[in-house]
Amino acid sequence: MPRTVYLLTHHHHLPTAEDPTVPEPYEDGEPLYWDDNEDDVKVLGLYATRESAEARIARARELPGFRETPEGFAIHPYVVDEVRWPAGFRIAPTG
C-alpha cells in the first residue's frame, strides 16, 4: 500500500514599498512561488499523518510571525516513491 507523508509549509508574501498590501498567496490551496525576493516560504516539517501536521499548525499559530499570518499554512500530501514531473518541464520564452 502506498505511504503518504505530509509536508507542512508556511508562506508569507512580504509587502513592498510600491505595494504595501499583502495579497492572497494561494490558488487552489497551493502556494504560488515567485522569483521576486518578496516571498518568504518556510518548511515546518514532514509528518507521518495529516493530524500531526495540523497539531503543529495549532502550536505554530501561537508563535511570533506565524500568529500574524495564520492563513499562510499549507499541508501538501506526497506519496512516497511517487514520481513527480516525470516528463520534465519547459521554460516559456519571455518577451
Side-chain angles (χ1 to χ4, degrees):
M1 177 157 98
R3 171 113 170 102
T4 301
V5 294
Y6 300 87
L7 177 67
L8 176 58
T9 62
H10 183 271
H11 180 272
H12 176 67
H13 187 72
L14 304 172
T16 63
E18 296 81 30
D19 180 11
T21 63
V22 180
E24 175 60 44
Y26 295 101
E27 178 177 289
D28 297 328
E30 292 292 320
L32 299 176
Y33 297 92
W34 297 282
D35 189 25
D36 61 6
N37 296 320
E38 296 170 3
D39 284 345
D40 182 28
V41 180
K42 295 173 183 63
V43 173
L44 280 82
L46 187 64
Y47 295 88
T49 66
R50 178 174 290 278
E51 293 77 16
S52 295
E54 290 169 352
R56 173 63 175 118
I57 290 171
R59 292 189 308 275
R61 281 192 171 140
E62 301 297 318
L63 301 173
F66 295 118
R67 76 173 151 243
E68 286 80 25
T69 55
E71 73 288 343
F73 295 98
I75 299 173
H76 310 273
Y78 287 94
V79 175
V80 174
D81 294 330
E82 179 180 78
V83 175
R84 309 283 290 218
W85 297 89
F89 66 95
R90 288 184 294 158
I91 299 174
T94 60

